[in-house]
């Protein structure tokens, strides 16, 4: 059986290594990138099963990448776990403010985990979202 690919978009090396090791030892195929631009290009190239995306990154940060993912018809069905030191409440407020200026609102992420993540929580959420993706009817089924 082919390993499920998880794209990790994280600027902190220690966090990339932690997440990658956790996923690899749990049977997933982690793919690492350092910023939103690189992450978006890689997502288009490999069409991962899940994306773990840091909110705060230099340059085109996680929010910009998330917006691009959710407005791209070929990528919008990929589940996203937002991972950040920014609290969930602060992120939700920011997303509401962004959505107030947009014609088409950006949906909430599939999951939001505050840093530092508990390994068990991150792994449980990863497994849950990937299982949900492959048990629900989706564009991937066609």
């Amino acid at each position: 059986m082919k390993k499920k690919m998880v794209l990790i978009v994280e600027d902190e090396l220690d966090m990339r290594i932690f997440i990658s090791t956790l996923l690899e030892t749990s049977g997933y195929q982690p793919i690492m990138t350092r910023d939103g631009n690189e992450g978006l290009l890689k997502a288009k190239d490999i069409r991962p099963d899940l994306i773990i995306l840091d909110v705060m990154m230099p340059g085109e940060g996680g929010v910009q990448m998330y917006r691009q993912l959710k407005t791209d018809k070929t990528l919008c069905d990929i589940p996203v776990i937002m991972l950040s030191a920014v609290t969930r409440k602060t992120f939700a407020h920011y997303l509401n403010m962004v959505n107030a200026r947009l014609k088409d609102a950006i949906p909430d992420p599939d999951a939001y985990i505050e840093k530092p993540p508990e390994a068990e929580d991150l792994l449980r959420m990863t497994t849950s979202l990937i299982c949900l993706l492959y048990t629900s009817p989706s564009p991937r089924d066609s």
Side-chain angles (χ1 to χ4, degrees):
M1 181 176 199
K2 184 180 166 199
K3 289 184 178 185
K4 302 297 183 202
M5 284 189 291
V6 178
L7 177 61
I8 302 162
V9 185
E10 169 64 60
D11 62 319
E12 296 175 29
L13 178 60
D14 291 345
M15 188 60 67
R16 279 196 314 267
I17 292 170
F18 165 73
I19 297 169
S20 177
T21 303
L22 174 67
L23 294 175
E24 191 166 12
T25 59
S26 299
Y28 295 99
Q29 180 183 350
I31 312 292
M32 297 185 287
T33 62
R34 295 177 298 207
D35 61 46
N37 288 332
E38 187 182 339
L40 191 60
L41 290 173
K42 187 58 82 172
K44 288 178 179 182
D45 183 42
I46 66 169
R47 295 259 314 138
D49 298 288
L50 176 82
I51 298 172
I52 297 176
L53 178 59
D54 185 16
V55 173
M56 302 290 288
M57 293 182 289
E60 292 290 315
V63 175
Q64 290 83 0
M65 180 183 166
Y66 181 69
R67 180 178 177 195
Q68 290 175 317
L69 285 169
K70 294 304 169 184
T71 57
D72 184 311
K73 292 187 186 327
T74 64
L75 302 174
C76 64
D77 64 321
I78 300 171
V80 176
I81 297 174
M82 297 298 282
L83 181 67
S84 184
V86 174
T87 66
R88 180 189 308 252
K89 183 178 178 181
T90 301
F91 177 78
H93 177 72
Y94 175 76
L95 194 58
N96 286 336
M97 299 308 297
V98 168
N99 281 337
R101 298 188 319 256
L102 298 175
K103 181 179 167 183
D104 296 319
I106 304 166
D108 289 335
D110 298 282
Y112 193 94
I113 298 177
E114 294 178 20
K115 286 182 179 176
E118 292 291 330
E120 299 81 22
D121 293 340
L122 184 56
L123 190 56
R124 185 178 326 109
M125 187 56 62
T126 297
T127 302
S128 174
L129 288 172
I130 288 176
C131 286
L132 183 63
L133 178 68
Y134 285 96
T135 58
S136 300
S138 77
R140 289 180 185 236
D141 296 336
S142 10

